[in-house]
Amino acid sequence: MNTIALVGNPNSGKTTLFNALTGSNQRVGNWPGVTVEKKEGKIKFKGQIYTIIDLPGTYSLGSFSEDEIVARDFILKDKPDVVINVVDATNIERNLYLTTQLLEMGVKVVVALNMIDEAKAKKIEIDINTLSQKLGAPVVPTIASKKKGIEELVSKAIELMHKDVDFKAHISYGENIEREIENIKKVLKDVKLDYPTDWVAVKALEKDQYILKELEKTHNSDISSLLKNLEEKEEDYVLEVIDKRYEFINRVTNEAVKLPNDNIETISDKIDKFVTHKFLGLPIFALIMFVVFQLTFAIGQDFLGGYVGTAIEILGSAIETLLGSLNAPDWVISFFIEGIIGGIGTVLEFVPLIVVLYMLMGILEDSGYMARAAYIMDNIMRALGLQGKTFISMIIGFGCNVPGVMSTRTLDNKKDRMIAILINPFMSCGARIPIYLVFISAFFPEHGGLVLFSLYFLGIFIALLMAKIFSKTLFKGESSYFIMELPPYRFPTAENVLRNMWDNVSEFLVRAGTTIFIVVAVLWILAMLPVGVEPYSQNSILGRIGTIIAPIFAPAGYGTWQAAVGLFSGIAAKEAVVAILGMVYAGVEEGTALVTAIQSAFTPLSAVSFMVMTLLYTPCAATLGVIKKETGSIRWTLFSALYSFTIAWLVSVLVYQVGSAIGLG
Amino acid sequence: MIPYIIKKVHYSYILILFLICVNIVTELIDTDYHYHIREEISMLTTSLAKLHSGEICKIQKINAGMNATKRLYEMGLNTGSRVKVVKNDIGPVIVSLYGNKIAVGRGLAEKIIVAD
């Protein structure tokens, strides 16, 4: 008796409310579909601990997208003791649609009427008591962003949890539908189902694909004939059921809600005039992205990056002195200095950069701009056989491909989703930036921003090109329709932005401390063996592996065993590439020595070719893992690993060969 | 930091020029755009895609596939609901439903039959 589920539309402030309730780490976004998995938090109320589950934001509890199924299965199968339904007060009619569905399910619902302050500003008058009475559920006004009404919400929810009441909405579906429902219920009476019978009956009339399939699985002859019957029926109840729900909502809102007559032009509308403008929209979007990357580079790298580098150097020499004074054997010192400080340290130097990138991305997400970006890109994406929302998953991929791939869950069409997953790794993630930076400082210190931006652009270009090819070959068929809410702009709260940033950065740090640590340690051992060999030389096991792979990369201009080893380690984690390059080229952890070594080992042209390779080749193990999880197929995962390697190799060779031919080499 | 950004900003001009080109090309592809020259016919029923910014209409019928129709319904764009067209030039049509904006893809908007 202590689980509370949070359910609500995207943009209803559900995640902000979850944060206000639990204070836990949680990603927040002002565009549909940020919460891709259910998140858990704990609260204490009158000495008792309660678990709060934040379910994905959905408009409905049908079976269109993964998110809807996750949300409704949790409610029906895991049976939370009470459901808090977050309703956006400024958009009450639409939000109550979900409420109606919850009430139909017969679960205990408390309505959190959120953003009540914004509704007041918009002159929307809501009579809380009437609303509560008409819905048959308690309603608590809240302002999640200001942590108002939270206490009352919790106490109402817990009070309801312990109350023995029969929660059931009285939605009159009209004579015809109700007769059908009774008929279906008769058939279902003797069948054991995971879901309540009444609800299944309505869903069957709605032709919910998931429920129809579940019913088929029972292999009951009565049910089969019922399903056949439903299919052959001329009259369609699907939309009528929805209409009846809206009728119910209208009866509620007619008495409880007063909407203003005239729509006043809000600040959001004014901003949108520019941001979604026919000609200005795209350049503004490009400019925003450009500024994001320039700021990331300027603050994260040039300004803060140096301090971290210095701090790590000081730490390194301190440990060296300490170990020396303890008379530690040479190999121990080498392991700590070259392996750990050298490996992890190189990675840590880029933390400021990632911090800034995630903060800026968080601001874009939280402000509501992302939905506009999807809108602006829809036209171009459609010409490529995709839709605008795909572009959002691509932008998220700039941070990290793992959430990028996961965010494709908001696409309801299988074709769109598969393509979006397969092209996401071409989006240059934060972990790849360190690799570029080393090569940029070696060869193009004056044009860092341009090189970085061109690489990102190439990534997008290849991704879109592959998308076009996929939609013509592997995944034919209609791209899904584009329907997207454009939420009002909201000022991003520092709390949400920092939380979002910290979630990502802490994950990066954890990875630096675990996966990358293991990779670096294993590679260090490989570089030391066989015993007696010169460490990090071509004769070590690591060197030999590199020597075997190296010829593959010769046509691309970097057929050295060191480069091969670097790329090889990047399949485990992209963050490891720089660390390994540092070890094999210079045997040092210092940035400048590595840069000098790179300058002598590469030419500007082969450096570009190598950067292109690192941009496009096989995604890291974590990304491959999430691709496996989201596609549910090992074959697609292997396909993703191999085709991206092939593309990367081809483009990289092309760059080098064409460059050499026109005399850039 | 600020001078650094200013120094780099000239790259953005190249990019903006490029994007304007892309924009013009997509506009040319978008043949539907040429229909926007208003035909002076009194509008009884027409598709949402043919309306102009600022016009208010009532949704009569949605001729799209079941999934799309259902999703529109669930977003509040069901038959009988009154919407205001906020923007309709290229790309998706933006409509406002009690001040809440929803972007609907052009192809889908063509299948939404509306009346004055």
Side-chain angles (χ1 to χ4, degrees):
Chain A
M1 281 289 273
N2 54 9
T3 47
I4 303 171
L6 269 186
V7 183
N9 280 192
N11 307 308
S12 59
K14 188 171 60 66
T15 308
T16 313
L17 184 72
F18 179 70
N19 285 340
L21 282 166
T22 62
S24 92
N25 292 336
Q26 166 72 36
R27 222 171 135 74
V28 190
N30 197 4
W31 63 274
V34 167
T35 318
V36 279
E37 282 192 314
K38 37 181 201 274
K39 308 239 165 141
E40 244 187 77
K42 301 247 185 264
I43 50 162
K44 217 173 166 186
F45 187 79
K46 289 189 182 158
Q48 183 110 20
I49 301 213
Y50 298 89
T51 309
I52 298 194
I53 315 280
D54 185 24
L55 294 174
T58 59
Y59 294 109
S60 165
L61 294 166
S63 56
F64 276 129
S65 59
E66 220 62 19
D67 284 352
E68 290 188 8
I69 296 173
V70 167
R72 88 171 184 201
D73 269 11
F74 184 82
I75 296 167
L76 290 170
K77 289 183 175 166
D78 295 273
K79 296 195 173 66
D81 299 302
V82 68
V83 171
I84 293 180
N85 175 210
V86 189
V87 165
D88 173 1
T90 66
N91 198 352
I92 186 160
E93 199 137 326
R94 215 270 317 286
N95 276 251
L96 285 179
Y97 184 77
L98 184 66
T99 316
T100 315
Q101 285 187 307
L102 287 168
L103 292 170
E104 271 179 295
M105 287 177 166
V107 291
K108 292 178 178 177
V109 181
V110 177
V111 172
L113 195 60
N114 198 25
M115 301 195 252
I116 197 81
D117 51 341
E118 278 187 43
K120 265 186 200 137
K122 274 190 163 180
K123 298 202 166 62
I124 299 170
E125 290 168 39
I126 302 171
D127 178 348
I128 308 276
N129 286 334
T130 315
L131 184 64
S132 165
Q133 203 186 344
K134 288 272 157 191
L135 283 175
V139 177
V140 181
T142 58
I143 309 169
S145 57
K146 290 174 191 156
K147 297 196 168 69
K148 281 189 181 154
I150 307 296
E151 198 112 319
E152 203 197 333
L153 180 67
V154 174
S155 88
K156 271 271 160 63
I158 289 163
E159 186 189 316
L160 187 66
M161 191 188 274
H162 299 293
K163 224 190 245 173
D164 203 17
V165 282
D166 182 27
F167 248 84
K168 197 85 183 76
H170 306 288
I171 298 158
S172 55
Y173 288 112
E175 226 174 276
N176 288 341
I177 295 178
E178 262 162 37
R179 194 182 335 113
E180 290 292 332
I181 292 175
E182 284 309 313
N183 284 342
I184 298 173
K185 272 166 72 179
K186 258 179 232 157
V187 179
L188 294 179
K189 206 172 56 192
D190 306 321
V191 190
K192 213 178 133 33
L193 289 163
D194 288 345
Y195 303 103
T197 332
D198 293 28
W199 184 80
V200 171
V202 178
K203 282 288 147 187
L205 280 182
E206 274 190 84
K207 294 199 175 144
D208 183 295
Q209 292 307 315
Y210 186 84
I211 289 299
L212 292 183
K213 261 188 213 134
E214 287 283 298
L215 286 175
E216 254 167 52
K217 274 190 216 153
T218 56
H219 297 295
N220 179 312
S221 58
D222 289 344
I223 291 184
S224 305
S225 63
L226 172 87
L227 290 176
K228 219 171 165 195
N229 233 330
L230 276 175
E231 198 148 316
E232 284 164 5
K233 266 243 167 75
E234 291 233 345
E235 301 140 278
D236 215 326
Y237 296 115
V238 180
L239 298 176
E240 211 178 321
V241 170
I242 303 178
D243 273 333
K244 292 291 175 188
R245 285 193 193 117
Y246 273 108
E247 271 175 31
F248 168 80
I249 293 166
N250 281 332
R251 276 198 299 277
V252 173
T253 53
N254 277 346
E255 289 190 42
V257 182
K258 252 191 213 147
L259 292 167
N261 279 335
D262 255 346
N263 279 330
I264 326 140
E265 193 180 52
T266 59
I267 298 169
S268 273
D269 296 334
K270 282 176 194 150
I271 299 174
D272 267 345
K273 280 213 170 125
F274 290 98
V275 165
T276 63
H277 188 270
K278 186 163 39 160
F279 298 117
L280 294 176
L282 210 50
I284 289 175
F285 173 53
L287 195 67
I288 289 177
M289 292 322 288
F290 186 81
V291 169
V292 164
F293 290 119
Q294 285 297 341
L295 280 178
T296 305
F297 208 53
I299 308 175
Q301 175 66 15
D302 297 357
F303 187 62
L304 291 174
Y307 294 121
V308 177
T310 318
I312 290 163
E313 263 171 52
I314 293 167
L315 181 71
S317 50
I319 290 181
E320 198 168 4
T321 330
L322 178 74
L323 288 175
S325 69
L326 291 173
N327 288 325
D330 276 354
W331 68 269
V332 172
I333 297 180
S334 152
F335 178 75
F336 272 97
I337 302 304
E338 284 163 23
I340 297 183
I341 304 285
I344 310 288
T346 328
V347 175
L348 288 184
E349 253 178 75
F350 301 101
V351 168
L353 192 131
I354 289 155
V355 165
V356 177
L357 181 67
Y358 277 123
M359 272 173 66
L360 294 172
M361 286 293 193
I363 290 171
L364 285 189
E365 269 183 33
D366 220 21
S367 65
Y369 183 73
M370 282 296 201
R372 273 74 180 180
Y375 164 81
I376 292 160
M377 290 306 292
D378 187 63
N379 221 19
I380 296 173
M381 298 299 272
R382 200 147 294 274
L384 296 165
L386 293 171
Q387 64 135 303
K389 278 191 221 170
T390 306
F391 204 74
I392 293 188
S393 68
M394 289 165 71
I395 293 177
I396 293 175
F398 281 146
C400 172
N401 297 134
V402 172
V405 168
M406 274 168 63
S407 68
T408 61
R409 284 184 172 200
T410 50
L411 298 162
D412 358 80
N413 171 309
K414 174 103 180 150
K415 174 203 163 190
D416 286 351
R417 194 155 173 236
M418 283 303 294
I419 295 178
I421 289 174
L422 288 176
I423 65 174
N424 201 279
F426 291 133
M427 298 294 103
S428 189
C429 66
R432 274 171 262 186
I433 297 174
I435 312 170
Y436 309 144
L437 292 186
V438 169
F439 284 85
I440 285 171
S441 14
F443 294 103
F444 316 101
E446 292 296 304
H447 303 284
L450 181 66
V451 172
L452 205 59
F453 197 68
S454 312
L455 283 167
Y456 276 87
F457 218 80
L458 178 70
I460 298 175
F461 178 77
I462 296 286
L464 295 180
L465 184 73
M466 288 317 294
K468 182 79 188 169
I469 293 172
F470 284 145
S471 72
K472 289 270 177 219
T473 54
L474 289 174
F475 307 100
K476 284 181 191 160
E478 273 291 291
S479 177
S480 68
Y481 42 85
F482 179 80
I483 308 172
M484 191 167 203
E485 197 184 352
L486 301 179
Y489 290 100
R490 299 206 168 91
F491 211 77
T493 61
E495 196 189 352
N496 280 350
V497 170
L498 290 176
R499 207 163 241 163
N500 174 25
M501 180 275 289
W502 177 242
D503 277 357
N504 287 297
V505 172
S506 59
E507 201 162 303
F508 182 87
L509 288 174
V510 167
R511 265 159 58 72
T514 54
T515 317
I516 301 165
F517 176 80
I518 293 166
V519 171
V520 168
V522 168
L523 290 170
W524 181 84
I525 294 167
L526 290 179
M528 289 297 162
L529 293 176
V531 180
V533 84
E534 167 89 1
Y536 294 107
S537 69
Q538 199 170 358
N539 293 324
S540 64
I541 295 182
L542 189 67
R544 286 180 208 170
I545 294 173
T547 315
I548 295 167
I549 316 174
I552 305 173
F553 302 113
Y558 43 84
T560 59
W561 67 269
Q562 293 100 324
V565 165
L567 289 173
F568 175 69
S569 59
I571 295 175
K574 303 285 177 210
E575 292 92 334
V577 175
V578 168
I580 294 302
L581 286 180
M583 281 150 77
V584 292
Y585 271 120
V588 282
E589 68 274 17
E590 284 164 65
T592 44
L594 174 58
V595 168
T596 322
I598 295 276
Q599 272 167 343
S600 57
F602 285 81
T603 65
L605 182 62
S606 68
V608 171
S609 161
F610 187 82
M611 284 192 279
V612 168
M613 185 75 192
T614 49
L615 165 71
L616 302 172
Y617 85 120
T618 310
C620 70
T623 307
L624 288 174
V626 80
I627 291 177
K628 160 83 186 30
K629 197 173 141 220
E630 295 299 311
T631 60
S633 146
I634 291 179
R635 277 169 54 204
W636 280 120
T637 314
L638 284 175
F639 174 78
S640 167
L642 293 177
Y643 102 94
S644 49
F645 185 85
T646 315
I647 301 284
W649 187 84
L650 286 173
V651 178
S652 180
V653 168
L654 191 74
V655 166
Y656 186 71
Q657 294 300 339
V658 171
S660 306
I662 59 173
L664 290 176
Chain B
M1 190 190 91
I2 299 296
Y4 181 92
I5 297 159
I6 293 167
K7 205 175 84 192
K8 303 281 173 180
V9 153
H10 60 271
Y11 296 132
S12 63
Y13 296 136
I14 309 168
L15 185 81
I16 288 170
L17 274 177
F18 171 75
L19 283 165
I20 289 175
C21 293
V22 173
N23 215 348
I24 291 166
V25 170
T26 42
E27 195 133 324
L28 291 176
I29 297 169
D30 190 8
T31 48
D32 207 57
Y33 178 62
H34 301 290
Y35 289 108
H36 288 311
I37 306 149
R38 176 132 207 195
E39 298 147 39
E40 289 296 325
I41 315 164
S42 72
M43 184 190 70
L44 285 171
T45 54
T46 181
S47 88
L48 181 63
K50 294 221 170 75
L51 294 189
H52 295 256
S53 308
E55 284 183 305
I56 294 173
C57 62
K58 198 169 192 177
I59 295 176
Q60 292 254 295
K61 196 174 183 325
I62 298 170
N63 289 330
M66 188 44 74
N67 277 356
T69 310
K70 226 172 151 181
R71 175 51 34 117
L72 285 171
Y73 266 60
E74 289 169 351
M75 299 279 284
L77 297 172
N78 55 336
T79 50
S81 61
R82 292 181 71 80
V83 296
K84 183 175 161 191
V85 179
V86 175
K87 181 175 174 282
N88 182 11
D89 36 42
I90 55 163
V93 179
I94 303 179
V95 296
S96 157
L97 189 73
Y98 305 110
N100 298 293
K101 281 184 260 184
I102 300 169
V104 180
R106 180 154 293 273
L108 188 54
E110 273 162 14
K111 293 174 183 154
I112 301 175
I113 307 301
V114 296
D116 259 328

